[in-house]
PDB file of all heavy atoms in Angstrom:
ATOM      1  N   ARG A1414     -33.280 -51.898 114.899  1.00 94.00           N
ATOM      2  CA  ARG A1414     -31.804 -52.042 115.065  1.00 94.00           C
ATOM      3  C   ARG A1414     -31.408 -51.750 116.527  1.00 94.00           C
ATOM      4  O   ARG A1414     -30.571 -52.511 117.057  1.00 94.00           O
ATOM      5  CB  ARG A1414     -31.091 -51.009 114.157  1.00 94.00           C
ATOM      6  CG  ARG A1414     -29.608 -51.129 114.274  1.00 94.00           C
ATOM      7  CD  ARG A1414     -28.851 -50.127 113.414  1.00 94.00           C
ATOM      8  NE  ARG A1414     -27.451 -50.106 113.754  1.00 94.00           N
ATOM      9  CZ  ARG A1414     -26.583 -49.179 113.394  1.00 94.00           C
ATOM     10  NH1 ARG A1414     -27.001 -48.166 112.647  1.00 94.00           N
ATOM     11  NH2 ARG A1414     -25.320 -49.208 113.748  1.00 94.00           N
ATOM     12  N   ILE A1415     -31.977 -50.757 117.157  1.00 94.00           N
ATOM     13  CA  ILE A1415     -31.623 -50.476 118.543  1.00 94.00           C
ATOM     14  C   ILE A1415     -32.070 -51.629 119.441  1.00 94.00           C
ATOM     15  O   ILE A1415     -31.343 -52.040 120.327  1.00 94.00           O
ATOM     16  CB  ILE A1415     -32.260 -49.142 118.994  1.00 94.00           C
ATOM     17  CG1 ILE A1415     -31.633 -47.995 118.218  1.00 94.00           C
ATOM     18  CG2 ILE A1415     -32.086 -48.950 120.486  1.00 94.00           C
ATOM     19  CD1 ILE A1415     -32.287 -46.632 118.478  1.00 94.00           C
ATOM     20  N   ASN A1416     -33.240 -52.173 119.192  1.00 91.00           N
ATOM     21  CA  ASN A1416     -33.733 -53.279 120.002  1.00 91.00           C
ATOM     22  C   ASN A1416     -32.849 -54.517 119.881  1.00 91.00           C
ATOM     23  O   ASN A1416     -32.480 -55.141 120.850  1.00 91.00           O
ATOM     24  CB  ASN A1416     -35.160 -53.636 119.627  1.00 91.00           C
ATOM     25  CG  ASN A1416     -36.201 -52.922 120.462  1.00 91.00           C
ATOM     26  OD1 ASN A1416     -35.951 -52.528 121.599  1.00 91.00           O
ATOM     27  ND2 ASN A1416     -37.389 -52.727 119.891  1.00 91.00           N
ATOM     28  N   GLU A1417     -32.484 -54.877 118.643  1.00 90.00           N
ATOM     29  CA  GLU A1417     -31.874 -56.152 118.364  1.00 90.00           C
ATOM     30  C   GLU A1417     -30.338 -56.079 118.566  1.00 90.00           C
ATOM     31  O   GLU A1417     -29.726 -57.044 119.058  1.00 90.00           O
ATOM     32  CB  GLU A1417     -32.157 -56.614 116.951  1.00 90.00           C
ATOM     33  CG  GLU A1417     -33.635 -56.935 116.727  1.00 90.00           C
ATOM     34  CD  GLU A1417     -33.937 -57.271 115.276  1.00 90.00           C
ATOM     35  OE1 GLU A1417     -32.988 -57.288 114.457  1.00 90.00           O
ATOM     36  OE2 GLU A1417     -35.128 -57.456 114.950  1.00 90.00           O
ATOM     37  N   GLN A1418     -29.692 -55.000 118.139  1.00 89.00           N
ATOM     38  CA  GLN A1418     -28.229 -54.991 118.077  1.00 89.00           C
ATOM     39  C   GLN A1418     -27.607 -54.138 119.161  1.00 89.00           C
ATOM     40  O   GLN A1418     -26.401 -54.254 119.394  1.00 89.00           O
ATOM     41  CB  GLN A1418     -27.785 -54.451 116.701  1.00 89.00           C
ATOM     42  CG  GLN A1418     -28.286 -55.301 115.563  1.00 89.00           C
ATOM     43  CD  GLN A1418     -27.924 -54.716 114.213  1.00 89.00           C
ATOM     44  OE1 GLN A1418     -27.024 -53.877 114.128  1.00 89.00           O
ATOM     45  NE2 GLN A1418     -28.621 -55.103 113.162  1.00 89.00           N
ATOM     46  N   ILE A1419     -28.387 -53.338 119.828  1.00 88.00           N
ATOM     47  CA  ILE A1419     -27.823 -52.432 120.844  1.00 88.00           C
ATOM     48  C   ILE A1419     -28.391 -52.711 122.214  1.00 88.00           C
ATOM     49  O   ILE A1419     -27.655 -52.953 123.189  1.00 88.00           O
ATOM     50  CB  ILE A1419     -28.078 -50.955 120.444  1.00 88.00           C
ATOM     51  CG1 ILE A1419     -27.329 -50.641 119.119  1.00 88.00           C
ATOM     52  CG2 ILE A1419     -27.594 -50.029 121.575  1.00 88.00           C
ATOM     53  CD1 ILE A1419     -27.671 -49.293 118.548  1.00 88.00           C
ATOM     54  N   LYS A1420     -29.715 -52.737 122.356  1.00 88.00           N
ATOM     55  CA  LYS A1420     -30.333 -53.017 123.640  1.00 88.00           C
ATOM     56  C   LYS A1420     -30.474 -54.520 123.926  1.00 88.00           C
ATOM     57  O   LYS A1420     -30.619 -54.919 125.092  1.00 88.00           O
ATOM     58  CB  LYS A1420     -31.722 -52.383 123.689  1.00 88.00           C
ATOM     59  CG  LYS A1420     -31.772 -50.888 123.456  1.00 88.00           C
ATOM     60  CD  LYS A1420     -31.469 -50.101 124.710  1.00 88.00           C
ATOM     61  CE  LYS A1420     -32.676 -50.061 125.612  1.00 88.00           C
ATOM     62  NZ  LYS A1420     -32.478 -49.159 126.776  1.00 88.00           N
ATOM     63  N   PHE A1421     -30.428 -55.326 122.852  1.00 84.00           N
ATOM     64  CA  PHE A1421     -30.569 -56.807 122.956  1.00 84.00           C
ATOM     65  C   PHE A1421     -31.858 -57.165 123.706  1.00 84.00           C
ATOM     66  O   PHE A1421     -31.874 -57.932 124.657  1.00 84.00           O
ATOM     67  CB  PHE A1421     -29.342 -57.407 123.714  1.00 84.00           C
ATOM     68  CG  PHE A1421     -28.041 -57.075 123.068  1.00 84.00           C
ATOM     69  CD1 PHE A1421     -27.048 -56.456 123.792  1.00 84.00           C
ATOM     70  CD2 PHE A1421     -27.800 -57.374 121.752  1.00 84.00           C
ATOM     71  CE1 PHE A1421     -25.804 -56.146 123.216  1.00 84.00           C
ATOM     72  CE2 PHE A1421     -26.582 -57.093 121.155  1.00 84.00           C
ATOM     73  CZ  PHE A1421     -25.592 -56.447 121.886  1.00 84.00           C
ATOM     74  N   ARG A1422     -32.950 -56.597 123.234  1.00 83.00           N
ATOM     75  CA  ARG A1422     -34.215 -56.876 123.881  1.00 83.00           C
ATOM     76  C   ARG A1422     -35.292 -57.236 122.854  1.00 83.00           C
ATOM     77  O   ARG A1422     -35.018 -57.264 121.635  1.00 83.00           O
ATOM     78  CB  ARG A1422     -34.663 -55.648 124.712  1.00 83.00           C
ATOM     79  CG  ARG A1422     -35.013 -54.421 123.879  1.00 83.00           C
ATOM     80  CD  ARG A1422     -35.427 -53.261 124.737  1.00 83.00           C
ATOM     81  NE  ARG A1422     -36.127 -52.264 123.961  1.00 83.00           N
ATOM     82  CZ  ARG A1422     -36.690 -51.154 124.462  1.00 83.00           C
ATOM     83  NH1 ARG A1422     -36.570 -50.865 125.737  1.00 83.00           N
ATOM     84  NH2 ARG A1422     -37.371 -50.324 123.675  1.00 83.00           N
ATOM     85  N   GLU A1423     -36.495 -57.523 123.329  1.00 84.00           N
ATOM     86  CA  GLU A1423     -37.547 -57.986 122.451  1.00 84.00           C
ATOM     87  C   GLU A1423     -37.827 -56.980 121.343  1.00 84.00           C
ATOM     88  O   GLU A1423     -37.913 -55.767 121.558  1.00 84.00           O
ATOM     89  CB  GLU A1423     -38.824 -58.226 123.258  1.00 84.00           C
ATOM     90  CG  GLU A1423     -38.685 -59.244 124.374  1.00 84.00           C
ATOM     91  CD  GLU A1423     -38.300 -58.586 125.708  1.00 84.00           C
ATOM     92  OE1 GLU A1423     -37.813 -57.440 125.702  1.00 84.00           O
ATOM     93  OE2 GLU A1423     -38.433 -59.251 126.755  1.00 84.00           O
ATOM     94  N   ARG A1424     -38.019 -57.521 120.108  1.00 79.00           N
ATOM     95  CA  ARG A1424     -38.166 -56.680 118.958  1.00 79.00           C
ATOM     96  C   ARG A1424     -39.405 -55.811 119.012  1.00 79.00           C
ATOM     97  O   ARG A1424     -39.471 -54.693 118.444  1.00 79.00           O
ATOM     98  CB  ARG A1424     -38.184 -57.546 117.685  1.00 79.00           C
ATOM     99  CG  ARG A1424     -38.291 -56.740 116.397  1.00 79.00           C
ATOM    100  CD  ARG A1424     -38.176 -57.661 115.220  1.00 79.00           C
ATOM    101  NE  ARG A1424     -38.244 -56.881 113.954  1.00 79.00           N
ATOM    102  CZ  ARG A1424     -38.079 -57.403 112.739  1.00 79.00           C
ATOM    103  NH1 ARG A1424     -37.805 -58.706 112.623  1.00 79.00           N
ATOM    104  NH2 ARG A1424     -38.135 -56.651 111.671  1.00 79.00           N
ATOM    105  N   TRP A1425     -40.458 -56.311 119.694  1.00 80.00           N
ATOM    106  CA  TRP A1425     -41.765 -55.590 119.687  1.00 80.00           C
ATOM    107  C   TRP A1425     -41.785 -54.412 120.735  1.00 80.00           C
ATOM    108  O   TRP A1425     -42.767 -53.718 120.775  1.00 80.00           O
ATOM    109  CB  TRP A1425     -42.889 -56.590 119.999  1.00 80.00           C
ATOM    110  CG  TRP A1425     -42.625 -57.501 121.152  1.00 80.00           C
ATOM    111  CD1 TRP A1425     -42.120 -58.749 121.061  1.00 80.00           C
ATOM    112  CD2 TRP A1425     -42.820 -57.240 122.537  1.00 80.00           C
ATOM    113  NE1 TRP A1425     -42.002 -59.299 122.315  1.00 80.00           N
ATOM    114  CE2 TRP A1425     -42.415 -58.379 123.231  1.00 80.00           C
ATOM    115  CE3 TRP A1425     -43.339 -56.187 123.246  1.00 80.00           C
ATOM    116  CZ2 TRP A1425     -42.498 -58.509 124.624  1.00 80.00           C
ATOM    117  CZ3 TRP A1425     -43.427 -56.253 124.627  1.00 80.00           C
ATOM    118  CH2 TRP A1425     -42.985 -57.396 125.285  1.00 80.00           C
ATOM    119  N   ARG A1426     -40.738 -54.264 121.495  1.00 86.00           N
ATOM    120  CA  ARG A1426     -40.731 -53.226 122.530  1.00 86.00           C
ATOM    121  C   ARG A1426     -40.703 -51.829 121.884  1.00 86.00           C
ATOM    122  O   ARG A1426     -39.887 -51.555 121.015  1.00 86.00           O
ATOM    123  CB  ARG A1426     -39.517 -53.394 123.467  1.00 86.00           C
ATOM    124  CG  ARG A1426     -39.538 -54.702 124.254  1.00 86.00           C
ATOM    125  CD  ARG A1426     -40.167 -54.518 125.589  1.00 86.00           C
ATOM    126  NE  ARG A1426     -39.383 -53.544 126.380  1.00 86.00           N
ATOM    127  CZ  ARG A1426     -38.292 -53.838 127.018  1.00 86.00           C
ATOM    128  NH1 ARG A1426     -37.813 -55.062 127.001  1.00 86.00           N
ATOM    129  NH2 ARG A1426     -37.642 -52.904 127.686  1.00 86.00           N
ATOM    130  N   PRO A1427     -41.579 -50.899 122.339  1.00 87.00           N
ATOM    131  CA  PRO A1427     -41.662 -49.580 121.705  1.00 87.00           C
ATOM    132  C   PRO A1427     -40.649 -48.583 122.250  1.00 87.00           C
ATOM    133  O   PRO A1427     -40.085 -48.793 123.351  1.00 87.00           O
ATOM    134  CB  PRO A1427     -43.102 -49.144 122.063  1.00 87.00           C
ATOM    135  CG  PRO A1427     -43.324 -49.751 123.377  1.00 87.00           C
ATOM    136  CD  PRO A1427     -42.617 -51.101 123.342  1.00 87.00           C
ATOM    137  N   PHE A1428     -40.403 -47.549 121.492  1.00 94.00           N
ATOM    138  CA  PHE A1428     -39.596 -46.408 121.934  1.00 94.00           C
ATOM    139  C   PHE A1428     -40.455 -45.165 121.955  1.00 94.00           C
ATOM    140  O   PHE A1428     -41.440 -45.026 121.225  1.00 94.00           O
ATOM    141  CB  PHE A1428     -38.435 -46.204 120.996  1.00 94.00           C
ATOM    142  CG  PHE A1428     -37.400 -47.290 121.001  1.00 94.00           C
ATOM    143  CD1 PHE A1428     -37.281 -48.161 119.962  1.00 94.00           C
ATOM    144  CD2 PHE A1428     -36.610 -47.487 122.101  1.00 94.00           C
ATOM    145  CE1 PHE A1428     -36.344 -49.225 119.990  1.00 94.00           C
ATOM    146  CE2 PHE A1428     -35.688 -48.527 122.145  1.00 94.00           C
ATOM    147  CZ  PHE A1428     -35.568 -49.356 121.094  1.00 94.00           C
ATOM    148  N   GLY A1429     -40.040 -44.223 122.808  1.00 96.00           N
ATOM    149  CA  GLY A1429     -40.785 -43.005 122.925  1.00 96.00           C
ATOM    150  C   GLY A1429     -40.104 -41.836 122.222  1.00 96.00           C
ATOM    151  O   GLY A1429     -38.872 -41.873 122.017  1.00 96.00           O
ATOM    152  N   PRO A1430     -40.875 -40.825 121.862  1.00 98.00           N
ATOM    153  CA  PRO A1430     -40.305 -39.617 121.272  1.00 98.00           C
ATOM    154  C   PRO A1430     -40.047 -38.540 122.267  1.00 98.00           C
ATOM    155  O   PRO A1430     -40.793 -38.358 123.243  1.00 98.00           O
ATOM    156  CB  PRO A1430     -41.414 -39.135 120.299  1.00 98.00           C
ATOM    157  CG  PRO A1430     -42.680 -39.547 121.030  1.00 98.00           C
ATOM    158  CD  PRO A1430     -42.350 -40.817 121.779  1.00 98.00           C
ATOM    159  N   ALA A1431     -38.947 -37.809 122.089  1.00 98.00           N
ATOM    160  CA  ALA A1431     -38.748 -36.547 122.798  1.00 98.00           C
ATOM    161  C   ALA A1431     -38.906 -35.437 121.761  1.00 98.00           C
ATOM    162  O   ALA A1431     -38.330 -35.539 120.672  1.00 98.00           O
ATOM    163  CB  ALA A1431     -37.342 -36.501 123.437  1.00 98.00           C
ATOM    164  N   MET A1432     -39.634 -34.407 122.127  1.00 98.00           N
ATOM    165  CA  MET A1432     -39.969 -33.379 121.104  1.00 98.00           C
ATOM    166  C   MET A1432     -39.844 -31.993 121.683  1.00 98.00           C
ATOM    167  O   MET A1432     -39.944 -31.792 122.932  1.00 98.00           O
ATOM    168  CB  MET A1432     -41.363 -33.640 120.557  1.00 98.00           C
ATOM    169  CG  MET A1432     -42.475 -33.452 121.573  1.00 98.00           C
ATOM    170  SD  MET A1432     -44.049 -34.154 121.039  1.00 98.00           S
ATOM    171  CE  MET A1432     -43.606 -35.899 120.995  1.00 98.00           C
ATOM    172  N   LEU A1433     -39.684 -31.020 120.819  1.00 98.00           N
ATOM    173  CA  LEU A1433     -39.697 -29.653 121.265  1.00 98.00           C
ATOM    174  C   LEU A1433     -41.073 -29.249 121.781  1.00 98.00           C
ATOM    175  O   LEU A1433     -42.087 -29.721 121.248  1.00 98.00           O
ATOM    176  CB  LEU A1433     -39.312 -28.716 120.073  1.00 98.00           C
ATOM    177  CG  LEU A1433     -37.992 -29.041 119.387  1.00 98.00           C
ATOM    178  CD1 LEU A1433     -37.808 -28.131 118.156  1.00 98.00           C
ATOM    179  CD2 LEU A1433     -36.810 -28.875 120.354  1.00 98.00           C
ATOM    180  N   ASP A1434     -41.109 -28.387 122.756  1.00 97.00           N
ATOM    181  CA  ASP A1434     -42.383 -28.014 123.359  1.00 97.00           C
ATOM    182  C   ASP A1434     -43.338 -27.369 122.342  1.00 97.00           C
ATOM    183  O   ASP A1434     -44.545 -27.506 122.466  1.00 97.00           O
ATOM    184  CB  ASP A1434     -42.178 -27.136 124.581  1.00 97.00           C
ATOM    185  CG  ASP A1434     -41.194 -25.982 124.326  1.00 97.00           C
ATOM    186  OD1 ASP A1434     -40.730 -25.790 123.216  1.00 97.00           O
ATOM    187  OD2 ASP A1434     -40.920 -25.258 125.318  1.00 97.00           O
ATOM    188  N   ARG A1435     -42.786 -26.670 121.361  1.00 97.00           N
ATOM    189  CA  ARG A1435     -43.672 -26.034 120.352  1.00 97.00           C
ATOM    190  C   ARG A1435     -44.164 -27.026 119.330  1.00 97.00           C
ATOM    191  O   ARG A1435     -45.124 -26.744 118.594  1.00 97.00           O
ATOM    192  CB  ARG A1435     -42.905 -24.911 119.659  1.00 97.00           C
ATOM    193  CG  ARG A1435     -41.607 -25.278 118.993  1.00 97.00           C
ATOM    194  CD  ARG A1435     -40.962 -24.106 118.316  1.00 97.00           C
ATOM    195  NE  ARG A1435     -39.627 -24.409 117.857  1.00 97.00           N
ATOM    196  CZ  ARG A1435     -39.328 -25.131 116.772  1.00 97.00           C
ATOM    197  NH1 ARG A1435     -40.335 -25.638 116.025  1.00 97.00           N
ATOM    198  NH2 ARG A1435     -38.055 -25.331 116.410  1.00 97.00           N
ATOM    199  N   VAL A1436     -43.555 -28.228 119.247  1.00 97.00           N
ATOM    200  CA  VAL A1436     -43.998 -29.276 118.338  1.00 97.00           C
ATOM    201  C   VAL A1436     -45.114 -30.144 118.921  1.00 97.00           C
ATOM    202  O   VAL A1436     -45.981 -30.622 118.222  1.00 97.00           O
ATOM    203  CB  VAL A1436     -42.809 -30.156 117.899  1.00 97.00           C
ATOM    204  CG1 VAL A1436     -43.244 -31.347 117.143  1.00 97.00           C
ATOM    205  CG2 VAL A1436     -41.808 -29.339 117.071  1.00 97.00           C
ATOM    206  N   ALA A1437     -45.067 -30.257 120.256  1.00 97.00           N
ATOM    207  CA  ALA A1437     -46.048 -31.179 120.917  1.00 97.00           C
ATOM    208  C   ALA A1437     -47.478 -30.912 120.562  1.00 97.00           C
ATOM    209  O   ALA A1437     -48.216 -31.853 120.286  1.00 97.00           O
ATOM    210  CB  ALA A1437     -45.809 -31.095 122.442  1.00 97.00           C
ATOM    211  N   PRO A1438     -47.968 -29.636 120.533  1.00 96.00           N
ATOM    212  CA  PRO A1438     -49.379 -29.448 120.192  1.00 96.00           C
ATOM    213  C   PRO A1438     -49.747 -29.882 118.790  1.00 96.00           C
ATOM    214  O   PRO A1438     -50.906 -30.190 118.490  1.00 96.00           O
ATOM    215  CB  PRO A1438     -49.553 -27.922 120.341  1.00 96.00           C
ATOM    216  CG  PRO A1438     -48.438 -27.478 121.262  1.00 96.00           C
ATOM    217  CD  PRO A1438     -47.284 -28.400 120.918  1.00 96.00           C
ATOM    218  N   GLN A1439     -48.767 -29.925 117.898  1.00 96.00           N
ATOM    219  CA  GLN A1439     -49.043 -30.363 116.517  1.00 96.00           C
ATOM    220  C   GLN A1439     -49.095 -31.905 116.440  1.00 96.00           C
ATOM    221  O   GLN A1439     -49.942 -32.462 115.699  1.00 96.00           O
ATOM    222  CB  GLN A1439     -47.925 -29.913 115.597  1.00 96.00           C
ATOM    223  CG  GLN A1439     -47.668 -28.391 115.589  1.00 96.00           C
ATOM    224  CD  GLN A1439     -46.349 -28.050 114.899  1.00 96.00           C
ATOM    225  OE1 GLN A1439     -45.964 -28.724 113.951  1.00 96.00           O
ATOM    226  NE2 GLN A1439     -45.677 -27.022 115.343  1.00 96.00           N
ATOM    227  N   MET A1440     -48.265 -32.596 117.192  1.00 97.00           N
ATOM    228  CA  MET A1440     -48.088 -34.018 117.057  1.00 97.00           C
ATOM    229  C   MET A1440     -49.028 -34.820 117.974  1.00 97.00           C
ATOM    230  O   MET A1440     -49.477 -35.893 117.593  1.00 97.00           O
ATOM    231  CB  MET A1440     -46.631 -34.400 117.329  1.00 97.00           C
ATOM    232  CG  MET A1440     -46.371 -35.908 117.231  1.00 97.00           C
ATOM    233  SD  MET A1440     -44.634 -36.287 117.466  1.00 97.00           S
ATOM    234  CE  MET A1440     -44.703 -38.037 117.773  1.00 97.00           C
ATOM    235  N   LEU A1441     -49.309 -34.266 119.156  1.00 97.00           N
ATOM    236  CA  LEU A1441     -50.018 -35.023 120.149  1.00 97.00           C
ATOM    237  C   LEU A1441     -51.468 -34.546 120.340  1.00 97.00           C
ATOM    238  O   LEU A1441     -51.697 -33.352 120.333  1.00 97.00           O
ATOM    239  CB  LEU A1441     -49.302 -34.919 121.520  1.00 97.00           C
ATOM    240  CG  LEU A1441     -47.828 -35.311 121.518  1.00 97.00           C
ATOM    241  CD1 LEU A1441     -47.232 -35.083 122.888  1.00 97.00           C
ATOM    242  CD2 LEU A1441     -47.638 -36.786 121.090  1.00 97.00           C
ATOM    243  N   ALA A1442     -52.361 -35.492 120.486  1.00 93.00           N
ATOM    244  CA  ALA A1442     -53.767 -35.157 120.753  1.00 93.00           C
ATOM    245  C   ALA A1442     -53.909 -34.866 122.232  1.00 93.00           C
ATOM    246  O   ALA A1442     -53.470 -35.658 123.077  1.00 93.00           O
ATOM    247  CB  ALA A1442     -54.663 -36.293 120.354  1.00 93.00           C
ATOM    248  N   GLY A1443     -54.505 -33.743 122.571  1.00 83.00           N
ATOM    249  CA  GLY A1443     -54.685 -33.388 123.969  1.00 83.00           C
ATOM    250  C   GLY A1443     -53.550 -32.498 124.419  1.00 83.00           C
ATOM    251  O   GLY A1443     -52.423 -32.570 123.937  1.00 83.00           O
ATOM    252  N   VAL A1444     -53.847 -31.629 125.371  1.00 71.00           N
ATOM    253  CA  VAL A1444     -52.841 -30.698 125.862  1.00 71.00           C
ATOM    254  C   VAL A1444     -52.623 -31.020 127.359  1.00 71.00           C
ATOM    255  O   VAL A1444     -53.535 -30.903 128.175  1.00 71.00           O
ATOM    256  CB  VAL A1444     -53.316 -29.237 125.730  1.00 71.00           C
ATOM    257  CG1 VAL A1444     -52.285 -28.302 126.325  1.00 71.00           C
ATOM    258  CG2 VAL A1444     -53.551 -28.920 124.254  1.00 71.00           C
ATOM    259  N   HIS A1445     -51.413 -31.454 127.672  1.00 83.00           N
ATOM    260  CA  HIS A1445     -51.091 -31.754 129.066  1.00 83.00           C
ATOM    261  C   HIS A1445     -49.567 -31.730 129.220  1.00 83.00           C
ATOM    262  O   HIS A1445     -48.843 -32.109 128.285  1.00 83.00           O
ATOM    263  CB  HIS A1445     -51.597 -33.130 129.479  1.00 83.00           C
ATOM    264  CG  HIS A1445     -51.660 -33.311 130.969  1.00 83.00           C
ATOM    265  ND1 HIS A1445     -50.505 -33.668 131.709  1.00 83.00           N
ATOM    266  CD2 HIS A1445     -52.664 -33.199 131.866  1.00 83.00           C
ATOM    267  CE1 HIS A1445     -50.862 -33.742 132.991  1.00 83.00           C
ATOM    268  NE2 HIS A1445     -52.147 -33.443 133.093  1.00 83.00           N
ATOM    269  N   LEU A1446     -49.096 -31.280 130.359  1.00 86.00           N
ATOM    270  CA  LEU A1446     -47.667 -31.282 130.623  1.00 86.00           C
ATOM    271  C   LEU A1446     -47.136 -32.689 130.572  1.00 86.00           C
ATOM    272  O   LEU A1446     -47.726 -33.638 131.095  1.00 86.00           O
ATOM    273  CB  LEU A1446     -47.383 -30.684 131.986  1.00 86.00           C
ATOM    274  CG  LEU A1446     -47.740 -29.211 132.209  1.00 86.00           C
ATOM    275  CD1 LEU A1446     -47.519 -28.811 133.674  1.00 86.00           C
ATOM    276  CD2 LEU A1446     -46.877 -28.334 131.298  1.00 86.00           C
ATOM    277  N   ALA A1447     -45.981 -32.862 129.934  1.00 94.00           N
ATOM    278  CA  ALA A1447     -45.399 -34.203 129.772  1.00 94.00           C
ATOM    279  C   ALA A1447     -43.877 -34.158 129.762  1.00 94.00           C
ATOM    280  O   ALA A1447     -43.256 -34.502 128.755  1.00 94.00           O
ATOM    281  CB  ALA A1447     -45.928 -34.865 128.496  1.00 94.00           C
ATOM    282  N   PRO A1448     -43.265 -33.722 130.850  1.00 96.00           N
ATOM    283  CA  PRO A1448     -41.810 -33.614 130.889  1.00 96.00           C
ATOM    284  C   PRO A1448     -41.120 -34.901 131.161  1.00 96.00           C
ATOM    285  O   PRO A1448     -39.885 -34.997 131.014  1.00 96.00           O
ATOM    286  CB  PRO A1448     -41.552 -32.563 131.949  1.00 96.00           C
ATOM    287  CG  PRO A1448     -42.674 -32.766 132.919  1.00 96.00           C
ATOM    288  CD  PRO A1448     -43.860 -33.152 132.081  1.00 96.00           C
ATOM    289  N   PHE A1449     -41.830 -35.935 131.702  1.00 97.00           N
ATOM    290  CA  PHE A1449     -41.161 -37.104 132.269  1.00 97.00           C
ATOM    291  C   PHE A1449     -41.448 -38.402 131.595  1.00 97.00           C
ATOM    292  O   PHE A1449     -41.128 -39.482 132.135  1.00 97.00           O
ATOM    293  CB  PHE A1449     -41.557 -37.226 133.737  1.00 97.00           C
ATOM    294  CG  PHE A1449     -41.268 -36.009 134.571  1.00 97.00           C
ATOM    295  CD1 PHE A1449     -42.248 -35.434 135.337  1.00 97.00           C
ATOM    296  CD2 PHE A1449     -39.997 -35.434 134.597  1.00 97.00           C
ATOM    297  CE1 PHE A1449     -42.009 -34.331 136.163  1.00 97.00           C
ATOM    298  CE2 PHE A1449     -39.754 -34.338 135.382  1.00 97.00           C
ATOM    299  CZ  PHE A1449     -40.730 -33.771 136.152  1.00 97.00           C
ATOM    300  N   MET A1450     -42.067 -38.429 130.408  1.00 97.00           N
ATOM    301  CA  MET A1450     -42.455 -39.715 129.766  1.00 97.00           C
ATOM    302  C   MET A1450     -43.333 -40.553 130.660  1.00 97.00           C
ATOM    303  O   MET A1450     -43.177 -41.745 130.747  1.00 97.00           O
ATOM    304  CB  MET A1450     -41.226 -40.488 129.299  1.00 97.00           C
ATOM    305  CG  MET A1450     -40.650 -40.011 127.955  1.00 97.00           C
ATOM    306  SD  MET A1450     -39.446 -41.163 127.315  1.00 97.00           S
ATOM    307  CE  MET A1450     -39.276 -40.574 125.641  1.00 97.00           C
ATOM    308  N   THR A1451     -44.314 -39.945 131.316  1.00 97.00           N
ATOM    309  CA  THR A1451     -45.205 -40.678 132.173  1.00 97.00           C
ATOM    310  C   THR A1451     -46.648 -40.727 131.627  1.00 97.00           C
ATOM    311  O   THR A1451     -47.563 -41.167 132.321  1.00 97.00           O
ATOM    312  CB  THR A1451     -45.226 -40.083 133.587  1.00 97.00           C
ATOM    313  OG1 THR A1451     -45.485 -38.661 133.499  1.00 97.00           O
ATOM    314  CG2 THR A1451     -43.919 -40.305 134.332  1.00 97.00           C
ATOM    315  N   LEU A1452     -46.799 -40.320 130.370  1.00 95.00           N
ATOM    316  CA  LEU A1452     -48.097 -40.323 129.745  1.00 95.00           C
ATOM    317  C   LEU A1452     -47.969 -40.816 128.300  1.00 95.00           C
ATOM    318  O   LEU A1452     -46.909 -40.546 127.648  1.00 95.00           O
ATOM    319  CB  LEU A1452     -48.699 -38.897 129.660  1.00 95.00           C
ATOM    320  CG  LEU A1452     -49.266 -38.237 130.916  1.00 95.00           C
ATOM    321  CD1 LEU A1452     -49.523 -36.783 130.645  1.00 95.00           C
ATOM    322  CD2 LEU A1452     -50.535 -38.955 131.330  1.00 95.00           C
TER     323      LEU A1452
END
């Protein structure tokens, strides 16, 4: 919905998650600082 009706961009384009720092070790494989969506 965001791709098609709001951003008006290609449907296959992905979105990223923002998460609490205490959730990251549960959801993500590997431990590394990631404050900027560059990984």
Side-chain angles (χ1 to χ4, degrees):
R1414 181 182 169 195
I1415 294 173
N1416 268 334
E1417 294 175 4
Q1418 301 176 19
I1419 297 171
K1420 302 277 282 187
F1421 305 124
R1422 66 181 199 176
E1423 301 91 342
R1424 183 174 182 176
W1425 46 266
R1426 296 267 298 278
F1428 293 110
M1432 65 196 66
L1433 304 175
D1434 48 5
R1435 57 178 170 77
V1436 171
Q1439 305 167 31
M1440 178 176 165
L1441 306 177
V1444 178
H1445 197 279
L1446 295 175
F1449 303 128
M1450 277 192 168
T1451 52
L1452 286 169

